[in-house]
Amino acid sequence: MRQLLDEAAKGGYGVGAFNVNNMEQIQAIMEAARETKSPVIVQASRGARSYSQDRFLYHLMLAATELYPEIPTVLHLDHGNSVDTCKSAIAMGFTSVMMDGSLMPDGKTPSTFEYNVKTTREVVEMSHAKGTTVEGEIGCLGGIEDGHGAGLDGLSHLTDPEQAVEFVRQTGVDALDIAIGTSHGAYKFTKKPTGETLKMDRLIEIHKRLPRTHLVMHGSSSVPKDLQDIINQYGGKLKPTWGVPIEEIQLGIKNGVRKINVDTDNRLAITGAIRKVFAEKPEEFDPRSYLKPARDAMKKVVALRMTQFGQAGHAGDYAPTPLAEMAKRYEGNGIPVVSSE
Ligand SMILES: [Zn+2]
């Protein structure tokens, strides 16, 4: 992933990181990447790893690289909660891991700065020795009730720019997730976000202080109204909600954001497409009759985001560097401090 983000920085674009749990989601992403000629980040959470028993995910990803050899593809661990979780991901073949030490291993309790530095640095040392990239998080995002960061609201633990500089210096992370007011899940904002609720000025300040660190925006689905409407039109009960507007993400990309996490938009697209088939053709019972439209709907959203983030057209810019070669590069730097000069 380090190489892919370095290339994105060179080209001034962002790269979407899309979550997967099953075959249809992986197919949707890879088809969108082929159609738009985009490098891709496929990411799996701990929940996805357990849902897919790890090995299904592993072999589906092998199939993806076999069937789409022209697409530079990263398999990234989303929100690793401990050194051991990251270790098992690397052992399985993930080429990038996130160590989220902003929370304790329960994924709910905010940790101390010292704990975050210590665990993240340990993961960086272990990962870079194998050529694997590391993303860290400083500050805490808001969460959904049963998910990561449960109970926190988006504005209670914003990233302190000074701490961000210190964190990068002490850990040597390749990429940094910062908290600027976004949350995971569909219910991010109760109205279109303003500078009061989405702190883009803070992101810009952090980029000024860490010009060579790749910034990551989590919780960055746009939650478009048309996708909400399809679900509600066919019997769904989503409450009115707002996500992160594309123009704010694009402003982020102009200011050092290289990885943008998108999950909710794809979930909405899939669910809307399935509900539509169920409502319009209640006599259907072949799973393909609703999984195909679901896959197509997700592919459409992913392809659109790839175009909006600017990664479209860049798949052929470079050949992926093998992990062993990346490990040598990291070794040359000692514990590689990405930035902060
Ligand atoms: Zn996240």
Side-chain angles (χ1 to χ4, degrees):
M1 184 164 90
R2 180 62 203 257
Q3 180 192 18
L4 188 138
L5 298 181
D6 285 347
E7 289 286 339
K10 227 190 284 171
Y13 57 90
V15 183
F18 305 101
N19 286 77
V20 297
N21 299 277
N22 62 19
M23 180 180 78
E24 283 78 9
Q25 290 175 312
I26 294 177
Q27 289 174 323
I29 295 168
M30 297 313 294
E31 276 300 307
R34 173 165 283 168
E35 187 181 281
T36 61
K37 301 185 167 57
S38 299
V40 289
I41 301 169
V42 176
Q43 64 182 15
S45 64
R46 281 185 293 138
R49 288 178 64 188
S50 109
Y51 182 80
S52 67
Q53 298 154 279
D54 254 359
R55 301 308 294 168
F56 280 110
L57 175 69
Y58 174 76
H59 287 280
L60 286 168
M61 285 308 300
L62 278 192
T65 53
E66 191 181 311
L67 293 170
Y68 302 85
E70 81 280 17
I71 305 294
T73 306
V74 170
L75 179 59
H76 173 77
L77 172 70
D78 194 18
H79 290 286
N81 65 326
S82 68
V83 175
D84 280 348
T85 304
C86 295
K87 197 184 262 180
S88 68
I90 294 167
M92 196 182 91
F94 279 73
T95 53
S96 176
V97 294
M98 175 182 190
M99 176 61 228
D100 179 359
S102 75
L103 298 172
M104 297 305 286
D106 67 2
K108 293 184 170 80
T109 315
S111 70
T112 62
F113 180 76
E114 291 70 28
Y115 169 86
N116 196 355
V117 166
K118 185 178 167 292
T119 42
T120 305
R121 189 184 165 102
E122 199 177 323
V123 170
V124 168
E125 286 174 9
M126 166 182 92
S127 304
H128 285 181
K130 298 196 183 308
T132 310
T133 308
V134 181
E135 173 185 337
E137 174 169 325
I138 183 83
C140 303
L141 268 78
I144 39 181
E145 236 163 68
D146 57 344
H148 196 84
L152 300 177
D153 83 72
L155 291 169
S156 54
H157 299 273
L158 294 174
T159 303
D160 171 58
E162 203 131 324
Q163 250 189 10
V165 172
E166 201 46 37
F167 182 77
V168 169
R169 197 182 65 76
Q170 292 189 31
T171 59
V173 288
D174 302 280
L176 184 66
D177 170 24
I178 55 173
I180 53 167
T182 61
S183 308
H184 294 113
Y187 299 102
K188 301 180 194 301
F189 303 105
T190 52
K191 55 182 193 211
K192 193 174 176 195
T194 63
E196 284 306 301
T197 47
L198 181 62
K199 309 280 188 186
M200 293 306 291
D201 50 346
R202 193 172 289 235
L203 181 146
I204 291 167
E205 194 192 332
I206 292 169
H207 176 56
K208 277 196 188 125
R209 297 207 198 181
L210 290 169
R212 292 175 58 217
T213 298
H214 302 306
L215 299 181
V216 182
M217 280 175 80
H218 278 237
S220 289
S221 276
S222 299
V223 198
K225 178 135 189 339
D226 57 330
L227 293 181
Q228 298 179 44
D229 287 348
I230 295 173
I231 291 181
N232 287 341
Q233 184 187 341
Y234 295 104
K237 285 193 175 143
L238 295 176
K239 292 173 281 180
T241 179
W242 279 261
V244 182
I246 293 294
E247 59 271 20
E248 301 292 348
I249 297 172
Q250 289 169 335
L251 174 66
I253 293 169
K254 287 201 184 85
N255 290 280
V257 171
R258 298 297 158 229
K259 174 171 178 279
I260 305 104
N261 287 11
V262 175
D263 189 11
T264 294
D265 288 351
N266 293 328
R267 293 178 176 198
L268 293 173
I270 287 171
T271 300
I274 291 177
R275 279 193 172 278
K276 184 165 188 282
V277 175
F278 284 176
E280 288 178 346
K281 298 177 188 159
E283 72 283 4
E284 281 284 2
F285 61 92
D286 179 345
R288 288 169 300 187
S289 71
Y290 51 88
L291 290 178
K292 270 193 203 170
R295 188 175 63 190
D296 290 346
M298 173 165 163
K299 179 194 150 189
K300 240 171 91 183
V301 173
V302 172
L304 179 62
R305 294 289 175 271
M306 286 170 162
T307 307
Q308 290 165 329
F309 298 162
Q311 74 205 82
H314 289 286
D317 291 358
Y318 52 96
T321 307
L323 288 177
E325 172 62 32
M326 286 305 294
K328 271 191 220 149
R329 279 189 210 172
Y330 281 129
E331 201 181 275
N333 293 341
I335 290 292
V337 171
V338 178
S339 135
S340 83
E341 328 216 297

